[in-house]
């Protein structure tokens, strides 16, 4: 089957445009295609279709190796035939949010978008207050994209979102953060993995698996997937993670992990894997 490409190339402007590695282009193409399938596929099923972006950034990025400017997740989620009905963006950097606001007003004036400056893990309660209350007639489904540079995303935030109908696409930085900082994270005084997994006793199971030759990255992926399954997300997420590697040395960086409680969402996700990327084999 031929691979489809979706235009993510942007024009330059004078607003903040951080540099990213070439591998990010693959991530954004995959996300843009899924946004299209999701937003169009559910437009007649739910009155409210809400898009969360918890590490939003300024909306554009510069690919270091090629010099291309690309739209990033917030603007890609608006550049759709059938837009979401509401957008919620959060970022710790106020200057990123100001640039994002300017770009939204330039390219997508009139959309229902709200912005939150701060750590999404502490802002999540305030963000969720902006959601319309769902009911039998006032139906709502949300899609949440989580794109951190490390393992700072806390499982308590997932649990807070889980009070609504939410599908997730999460960047799990198990290699570029977890594996690289394993020794530090193993220290009893370090709480990064406690909060990432929502489990203070993870070191007990990790010691067992380490003795069996399991890598720390694989342990984290399995553990996070197990925690999501415990919230009734479907187990098929395990076999549909996408492994992203660096372009220069082919080093493992992270997995893009999709989680949903509904088979229809995996129909969309499988189409993305068939048309944009090669499917990723299950991790061991």
């Amino acid at each position: 089957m031929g691979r489809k490409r979706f235009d993510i190339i942007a024009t330059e402007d004078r607003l903040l445009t951080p540099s990213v590695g070439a591998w990010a282009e693959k991530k954004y193409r995959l996300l843009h295609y899924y946004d299209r399938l999701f937003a169009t596929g559910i437009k007649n099923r739910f009155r409210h279709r809400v898009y969360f972006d918890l590490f939003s950034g300024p909306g554009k990025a510069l690919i270091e190796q090629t010099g291309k400017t690309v739209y990033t997740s917030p603007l890609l989620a608006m550049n759709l035939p059938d837009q979401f009905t509401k957008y919620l963006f959060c970022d710790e950097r106020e200057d990123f949010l100001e640039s994002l606001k300017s770009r939204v007003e330039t390219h997508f004036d009139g959309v229902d978008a709200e912005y939150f400056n701060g750590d999404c893990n502490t802002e999540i309660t305030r963000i969720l207050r902006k959601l319309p209350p769902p009911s039998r007639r006032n139906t709502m489904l949300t899609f949440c994209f989580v794109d951190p540079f490390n393992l700072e995303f806390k499982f308590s935030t997932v649990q807070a979102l889980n009070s609504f109908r939410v599908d997730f696409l999460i960047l799990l930085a198990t290699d570029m953060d977890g594996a690289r900082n394993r020794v530090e994270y193993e220290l009893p005084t370090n709480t990064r993995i406690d909060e990432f997994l929502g489990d203070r006793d993870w070191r007990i199971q990790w010691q067992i698996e380490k003795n069996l030759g399991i890598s720390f990255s694989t342990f984290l992926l399995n553990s996070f997937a197990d925690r999501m399954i415990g919230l009734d997300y479907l187990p098929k997420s395990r076999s549909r993670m996408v492994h992203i590697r660096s372009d220069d040395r082919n080093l493992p960086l992270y997995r893009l992990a999709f989680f949903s409680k509904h088979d229809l969402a995996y129909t969309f996700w499988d189409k993305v894997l068939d048309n944009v990327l090669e499917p990723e084999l299950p991790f061991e």
Side-chain angles (χ1 to χ4, degrees), residues 24 27-28 31 53-57 72-73 91 144-150 152-153 169-172 176 254 256:
K27 173 181 66 178
Y28 293 133
L31 174 65
D53 201 323
L54 298 184
F55 296 82
S56 67
T72 62
S73 52
D91 201 280
C144 182
F145 181 54
V146 185
D147 189 21
F149 291 109
N150 52 35
E152 64 186 298
F153 185 56
L169 182 60
I170 305 176
L171 185 153
L172 298 175
M176 66 183 190
Y254 56 83
L256 283 174

Side-chain angles (χ1 to χ4, degrees), residues 49-269:
R49 288 92 61 197
V50 181
Y51 177 86
F52 283 88
D53 201 323
L54 298 184
F55 296 82
S56 67
K60 290 185 181 181
L62 177 69
I63 304 295
E64 292 176 338
Q65 292 85 345
T66 64
K68 291 189 294 186
T69 300
V70 297
Y71 293 113
T72 62
S73 52
L75 298 186
L76 292 175
M78 293 181 177
N79 185 26
L80 304 172
D82 301 291
Q83 290 182 328
F84 293 83
T85 59
K86 190 174 187 65
Y87 295 86
L88 298 168
F89 301 116
C90 185
D91 201 280
E92 288 189 294
R93 288 186 54 169
E94 185 176 5
D95 55 349
F96 277 6
L97 285 179
E98 289 302 319
S99 290
L100 176 58
K101 287 180 187 178
S102 295
R103 286 167 171 151
V104 170
E105 290 170 359
T106 298
H107 298 289
F108 302 102
D109 186 34
V111 299
D112 184 357
E114 298 197 46
Y115 307 84
F116 301 85
N117 179 215
D119 180 350
C120 67
N121 297 298
T122 57
E123 292 291 315
I124 191 61
T125 300
R126 189 162 68 97
I127 295 170
L128 290 176
R129 292 196 190 109
K130 298 297 183 178
L131 291 179
S135 66
R136 182 172 296 181
R137 292 186 178 181
N138 200 37
T139 55
M140 180 176 66
L141 182 64
T142 68
F143 174 53
C144 182
F145 181 54
V146 185
D147 189 21
F149 291 109
N150 52 35
L151 298 175
E152 64 186 298
F153 185 56
K154 298 180 182 181
F155 200 77
S156 59
T157 304
V158 175
Q159 292 170 314
L161 285 159
N162 190 50
S163 59
F164 297 88
R165 299 182 69 173
V166 183
D167 291 349
F168 289 93
L169 182 60
I170 305 176
L171 185 153
L172 298 175
T174 52
D175 290 295
M176 66 183 190
D177 182 17
R180 293 178 186 177
N181 296 297
R182 175 183 60 81
V183 174
E184 180 180 349
Y185 291 157
E186 286 178 323
L187 296 174
T189 54
N190 191 299
T191 61
R192 171 58 61 87
I193 305 303
D194 303 35
E195 295 170 339
F196 171 67
L197 296 177
D199 179 9
R200 291 181 296 179
D201 298 324
W202 63 271
R203 292 174 181 82
I204 298 172
Q205 184 62 32
W206 162 233
Q207 191 59 50
I208 295 171
E209 298 196 23
K210 182 165 67 170
N211 291 338
L212 294 174
I214 305 297
S215 71
F216 192 52
S217 176
T218 297
F219 166 76
L220 292 175
L221 291 168
N222 275 310
S223 299
F224 191 88
D226 286 344
R227 295 288 284 153
M228 295 298 286
I229 292 167
L231 296 179
D232 295 325
Y233 285 88
L234 298 181
K236 62 179 65 178
S237 61
R238 289 177 174 275
S239 62
R240 289 161 170 82
M241 293 189 183
V242 177
H243 204 173
I244 303 294
R245 294 176 174 271
S246 66
D247 294 272
D248 48 355
R249 300 172 59 189
N250 199 36
L251 296 175
L253 296 174
Y254 56 83
R255 305 262 181 162
L256 283 174
F258 180 75
F259 299 97
S260 179
K261 299 179 181 180
H262 310 282
D263 283 320
L264 178 60
Y266 283 97
T267 300
F268 298 152
W269 186 243

